[in-house]
Amino acid sequence: MAAEHTDTDAFRGATFRHADLAGAEFRNVDLTGAAFHSVDLAGATFRDCDLSGVRIVASAVADLQVSRHGGSGRVVVDDVDVTAYVADELDRRHPERVRLRAVRTADDVRAMWDTLERLWADTLARAERLPEAARYQRVDDEWSFVETLRHLVFATDVWVGRLIRDEASPYHRLGLPPTDTSPASAAELGIDLAARPSYAEVVAVFADRRRRVREVVAAVTDAELAETRTAALTPEWGVESHPVGECLRVVLAEHCEHRRFAVRDLTLIEARSA
């Protein structure tokens, strides 16, 4: 059984030299300033980690894959800043990202949501050409297509249902919160993390949440975008205050970026099926 190190372990500033970490799992551990010398990290996975300022020197990085949270911060490879190249290439592949960054007015929000609805209709049709089992398939342990739809249900419930519409209990039991949400917190919201719904069930809930966003977007005004909403979101997040415009931009961004991830994984699943 692999050793698991939790937040009870103190590794801040530790040095690992010629260490055998095969199969070890580190969760909520502070490794700030740690140094790794001649350590075999082949095949290691870093998920939801803060790697700001990390330097990889004189190391083998064949097949290194990096997925950045929000795409923020510089990326330098062999003294070459590739940040702009990566951003430009993503914009070329997904021009809706450019439109999203330009959203300012209520009309911009409406136009952007229309674009995302059209893109998601195409993506759903693409997924439905695959066997149902493929829609539950994970690629590199990322969320499956079904799990992605469930997460967008949750995101809509938070930013539209709870904050904008001020609903006391907006959370659908099939919504999927971020992976660091505790089972107790999810249960308090009425969310069933153990649920294994059919694809048809999830698509129906996803369609309903898109309808709710459509209703809000259709009615919002420029003045309302600046209004602040305050609410207790989840037991772990507590009370937060955000302008309506920010809430809607989060919903737009969630649908934009998670569709990008979904398309990426569908492409791999289609290739494997072929």
Side-chain angles (χ1 to χ4, degrees):
M1 179 178 178
E4 179 174 327
H5 304 278
T6 68
D7 54 2
T8 58
D9 299 279
F11 291 113
R12 178 185 284 266
T15 297
F16 298 84
R17 194 180 293 273
H18 302 286
D20 181 5
L21 299 177
E25 184 169 351
F26 297 86
R27 286 183 179 271
N28 303 314
V29 174
D30 186 356
L31 289 167
T32 302
F36 299 85
H37 296 272
S38 302
V39 176
D40 188 350
L41 294 172
T45 298
F46 299 86
R47 187 180 299 279
D48 296 325
C49 296
D50 184 353
L51 298 176
S52 302
V54 167
R55 296 176 64 242
I56 302 175
V57 182
S59 299
V61 293
D63 300 319
L64 175 69
Q65 298 182 48
V66 179
S67 176
R68 295 179 298 158
H69 178 69
S72 60
R74 289 197 315 146
V75 178
V76 179
V77 179
D78 287 337
D79 301 320
V80 178
D81 189 333
V82 299
T83 313
Y85 167 76
V86 173
D88 290 346
E89 180 61 18
L90 287 175
D91 287 347
R92 185 189 67 80
R93 297 182 186 185
H94 303 280
E96 65 275 12
R97 287 164 45 94
V98 180
R99 292 192 62 182
L100 177 61
R101 292 198 297 271
V103 168
R104 297 290 184 276
T105 68
D107 284 341
D108 292 339
V109 171
R110 281 186 275 275
M112 188 68 216
W113 182 247
D114 285 345
T115 296
L116 289 171
E117 288 242 70
R118 174 178 54 78
L119 291 172
W120 266 106
D122 292 343
T123 305
L124 287 164
R126 181 178 176 179
E128 287 163 9
R129 288 193 288 270
L130 291 167
E132 178 150 353
R135 300 170 208 149
Y136 290 84
Q137 183 177 335
R138 286 186 164 192
V139 175
D140 294 332
D141 204 33
E142 298 293 333
W143 275 332
S144 68
F145 189 75
V146 169
E147 289 171 319
T148 295
L149 299 184
R150 292 178 60 189
H151 177 67
L152 291 175
V153 167
F154 173 80
T156 302
D157 289 345
V158 172
W159 297 99
V160 173
R162 187 70 190 98
L163 270 167
I164 296 179
R165 295 172 54 148
D166 195 29
E167 297 174 2
S169 302
Y171 300 102
H172 195 283
R173 70 177 188 87
L174 297 182
L176 193 61
T179 53
D180 60 354
T181 302
S182 69
S185 178
E188 192 170 337
L189 297 174
I191 293 173
D192 183 4
L193 293 181
R196 296 295 179 266
S198 69
Y199 178 72
E201 287 179 281
V202 173
V203 167
V205 179
F206 183 53
D208 178 73
R209 284 341 190 235
R210 295 204 318 277
R211 175 189 60 79
R212 295 187 182 195
V213 176
R214 195 181 310 124
E215 291 174 353
V216 169
V217 165
V220 74
T221 65
D222 288 340
E224 287 172 332
L225 293 179
E227 294 178 1
T228 298
R229 299 285 192 267
T230 300
L233 302 184
T234 74
E236 293 173 341
W237 296 355
V239 176
E240 294 189 18
S241 297
H242 299 277
V244 170
E246 181 182 331
C247 296
L248 288 175
R249 278 188 287 273
V250 171
V251 172
L252 295 174
E254 286 282 303
H255 282 77
C256 183
E257 290 302 291
H258 281 286
R259 179 186 167 275
R260 177 168 70 87
F261 302 146
V263 167
R264 174 199 64 193
D265 294 347
L266 285 174
T267 300
L268 291 172
I269 292 171
E270 288 167 342
R272 292 172 182 174
S273 298

